[in-house]
Amino acid sequence: MENRNSLPPGDSQRVIWSGLPNGVSEAGQRDETLTDRQRTLLAYWQELQPEDGSLPQWSNFDPLRLWTVITRLVVYEVLDQGEDLFFRLAGAEFERHAGRSLRGQRFSQISTPERLRAGQRTARELYDNPAPQLVHGWMEAAERDHVTYSRLSVPFSLEPGYRMDILLACYEFGPNGPVPQTGAPEGFRRI
């Protein structure tokens, strides 16, 4: 298993892929890096995405379509072009693993300055290139260093276009989520 010591100081996550990799170019195709719940979210996001490749609009999102994964979802509002994230909504399973409710808080409020910088790099990269993103990490920002996760994030816009305003994430925890191996196998990218 990978450990936090193999990541740059302050980083508690590793981007596995960003965009739609070859293994998930079609919604029905299996990819071993995603769990069934994450594939459900990705398929729904692809269904909502306009043909021109712009981002799906948040107003078209129907949470009832994801009722099987709702407890693992987190809705983030993207602030200041990715400089901060606001926890709009967090499912019960996420909150259980986080050890508390983070709803109504900003990422900057719960992070140390070092972890905030690492999180901002990830958020800004995603803001500049909005696409689905899979990340593996540890919940250090919530002071739960022992909790590992796999997070699939998909971007939404409030108005037609390519600007990411909302980030919807599906978390898998511990043994439920794939955990990357030590080293930097192909497809892993440090940020």
Side-chain angles (χ1 to χ4, degrees):
M1 273 190 185
E2 181 175 19
N3 62 49
R4 288 185 303 280
N5 297 332
S6 65
L7 297 173
D11 280 359
S12 58
Q13 61 185 13
R14 179 189 298 273
V15 175
I16 305 303
W17 57 259
S18 187
L20 294 176
N22 293 336
V24 265
S25 59
E26 294 182 25
Q29 203 169 352
R30 286 186 66 87
D31 185 313
E32 293 177 12
T33 60
L34 297 174
T35 66
D36 288 340
R37 288 182 271 256
Q38 291 169 334
R39 279 191 289 278
T40 298
L41 172 59
L42 183 60
Y44 180 53
W45 183 86
Q46 288 176 304
E47 182 182 314
L48 292 175
Q49 188 177 29
E51 289 183 24
D52 67 1
S54 62
L55 296 179
Q57 284 188 256
W58 184 245
S59 61
N60 294 330
F61 174 72
D62 178 3
L64 294 179
R65 292 284 307 274
L66 296 174
W67 69 272
T68 60
V69 300
I70 200 87
T71 63
R72 295 172 183 274
L73 294 180
V74 175
V75 178
Y76 297 102
E77 184 176 338
V78 179
L79 305 173
D80 303 322
Q81 300 178 344
E83 287 295 312
D84 208 350
L85 297 173
F86 179 78
F87 288 83
R88 270 186 154 187
L89 184 67
E93 193 66 18
F94 173 84
E95 288 187 345
R96 184 174 74 78
H97 282 88
R100 65 179 190 237
S101 174
L102 297 175
R103 286 176 282 173
Q105 295 186 40
R106 291 175 177 237
F107 186 73
S108 59
Q109 293 174 305
I110 65 167
S111 295
T112 65
E114 192 173 67
R115 290 180 186 143
L116 177 60
R117 283 189 298 277
Q120 285 172 326
R121 279 195 311 274
T122 302
R124 279 193 307 264
E125 181 179 298
L126 193 53
Y127 185 84
D128 291 339
N129 301 295
Q133 182 185 74
L134 182 65
V135 169
H136 292 282
W138 293 264
M139 294 193 81
E140 289 181 339
E143 299 174 4
R144 306 278 286 184
D145 297 11
H146 62 284
V147 177
T148 60
Y149 66 82
S150 168
R151 177 186 72 220
L152 173 67
S153 302
V154 292
F156 285 85
S157 64
L158 293 177
E159 297 178 9
Y162 297 89
R163 189 183 84 209
M164 179 177 72
D165 299 304
I166 301 290
L167 197 57
L168 180 62
C170 179
Y171 284 80
E172 293 288 357
F173 298 96
N176 293 324
V179 178
Q181 300 300 311
T182 304
E186 261 182 68
F188 281 63
R189 182 167 48 99
R190 287 182 193 251
I191 56 170

